[in-house]
Every structure is written in C-alpha cells, then in structure tokens.
Amino acid sequence: MTAISRNATNTLFTTKNMAKIAILSAVSAVLMLLEFPLPIAPSFYKMDFSEVGVLIGGFALGPTAAIVIEALKILIKFLLKGSFTMGVGELSNFIIGCAMCVPAAMIYKKEKTRKNALIGLCVGTVCMTVIGVVMNYFVAIPAYVAIAHYPLDVIISMGAAIFPFIKNTFQLVIACVTPFNLIKGVLVSIVTCLLYKHVSPLLKR
C-alpha cells in the first residue's frame, strides 16, 4: 500500500466519517426493505432505492465509502431477513450494487461537477446492467435453483408470462433483467440527483 492510499484510507476512516457511513448504511438498509416488483420482471426481482444512500455516500466520501456502505447495507438486510440462497443472492446484490455506485463515485471524485455526476451515473447504470446480466445468468438464478430449490422451469414460466417468447434462462435475463436494471439505474440516478445537493452540506460538516 502506497503512502497516498494509506492517507486516503486514514482520512476516510475517521470517527466522523464512520458515523456518516453508519447512518447512510442504515438508511440504505431501510430503503432496501421497502422493495416492490416491476411488471417487466418476475415477482422475485424487487425494485428498491437503497443505492441512493450508497451513491450519496460515494459522492461525498469516495468510492471506498460506497463499497463499505453497500456491504453494511447487505449485512443489515441479511441479519434482519436472512437469506433464501445461503448468502449467494446477497453477494450477487452486493456486486451488482457496487457495479453502479463505485464507477459513479470514481468519476465524480476526479472532478466534482454536475457533468461528472451525470456521466458517472450513466456509466454506473450501464455497468450495473451488464454485471446484472452476468451475475443473474451465472450466479443468482443457479443459486435459486440449487440452494432455494426453486424449479428452473417455474422461473422460466414466470418470465414467459410477461414475455411469451422466453424459453430459456438467457432469454429471461436479457428480456427481464436487462430492462429491470436499466429502469432501476435511471430512477436511482434521478433521485440521487434530486437529493444530493440538499444532503451533501450535512455530510461535509
């Protein structure tokens, strides 16, 4: 670890910043519990706005803070509700969430302007969408089948009830998961843009 990275880490993990991270993690966990389905995807895919808290923390405190907040958010939710996939679904959620929030925070950190914030959110949304396809196809759906004993044909049929052309896992992921994450990314980005300037002065104290 270089001297610069050590200094950045030490600056982040001050008592004041840890308190901010804890508050944002708790807020994000509560928002994660307020989940709801979207009509374009099977009902076990739930929309929530928990990434808003992660993005606000990432913009204010940097990408490392975004990772920590995302991890604590998942941990709190895991402790409150448990897991149907022995933690595999939560790991997938963590990776997909970081795929949006970390690139956005990294881009915004280079120059904290509205333009960079918008670019970061767009890049983050694209990254989340791509990683979401990969994680659902290779991790999340197989975990539901193998660990939660959710029959694959039932999962496929839930997708086919929305889009009749769906016949396999790949088509399900492309037709349902891709637009789901795009919509989530856009909505989360809009809410973050609306809230950040009002919340950021509190985080700078």
Side-chain angles (χ1 to χ4, degrees):
M1 183 181 289
T2 65
I4 294 176
S5 61
R6 282 198 300 269
N7 289 337
T9 302
N10 291 337
T11 301
L12 173 63
F13 293 109
T14 62
T15 301
K16 184 180 293 186
N17 284 345
M18 289 302 294
K20 295 173 185 177
I21 287 171
I23 292 170
L24 288 168
S25 299
V27 170
S28 295
V30 171
L31 290 173
M32 193 176 184
L33 294 174
L34 303 175
E35 57 188 9
F36 55 92
L38 292 179
I40 60 166
S43 58
F44 56 84
Y45 288 105
K46 303 291 188 181
M47 168 70 191
D48 66 73
F49 287 93
S50 61
E51 259 64 55
V52 171
V54 183
L55 282 167
I56 288 174
F59 281 177
L61 303 172
T64 302
I67 296 172
V68 175
I69 295 167
E70 185 74 40
L72 290 174
K73 176 198 79 174
I74 298 292
L75 177 61
I76 294 170
K77 190 257 185 181
F78 181 82
L79 292 174
L80 291 176
K81 294 190 69 174
S83 172
F84 293 107
T85 59
M86 302 294 288
V88 177
E90 284 69 29
L91 175 62
S92 179
N93 192 304
F94 169 75
I95 293 172
I96 293 171
C98 285
M100 179 179 187
C101 299
V102 173
M106 290 175 67
I107 291 171
Y108 185 69
K109 184 179 180 181
K110 290 182 179 180
E111 187 177 355
K112 295 188 175 184
T113 62
R114 177 180 289 273
K115 179 182 177 181
N116 265 20
L118 293 174
I119 292 173
L121 291 169
C122 290
V123 171
T125 297
V126 172
C127 289
M128 180 177 70
T129 302
V130 173
I131 296 301
V133 168
V134 174
M135 292 300 297
N136 274 273
Y137 186 78
F138 290 104
V139 180
I141 292 177
Y144 272 106
V145 174
I147 300 175
H149 304 295
Y150 217 100
L152 181 59
D153 58 343
V154 173
I155 295 175
I156 301 299
S157 67
M158 292 173 73
I162 302 169
F163 300 110
F165 65 83
I166 293 176
K167 304 297 181 185
N168 55 50
T169 304
F170 182 74
Q171 291 175 342
L172 171 70
V173 170
I174 295 299
C176 294
V177 176
T178 299
F180 178 91
N181 281 325
L182 280 172
I183 291 171
K184 179 175 181 177
V186 170
L187 293 178
V188 165
S189 297
I190 291 171
V191 175
T192 301
C193 287
L194 292 174
L195 291 180
Y196 181 67
K197 287 301 180 182
H198 300 286
V199 176
S200 59
L202 299 175
L203 297 174
K204 293 176 182 178
R205 292 179 181 176

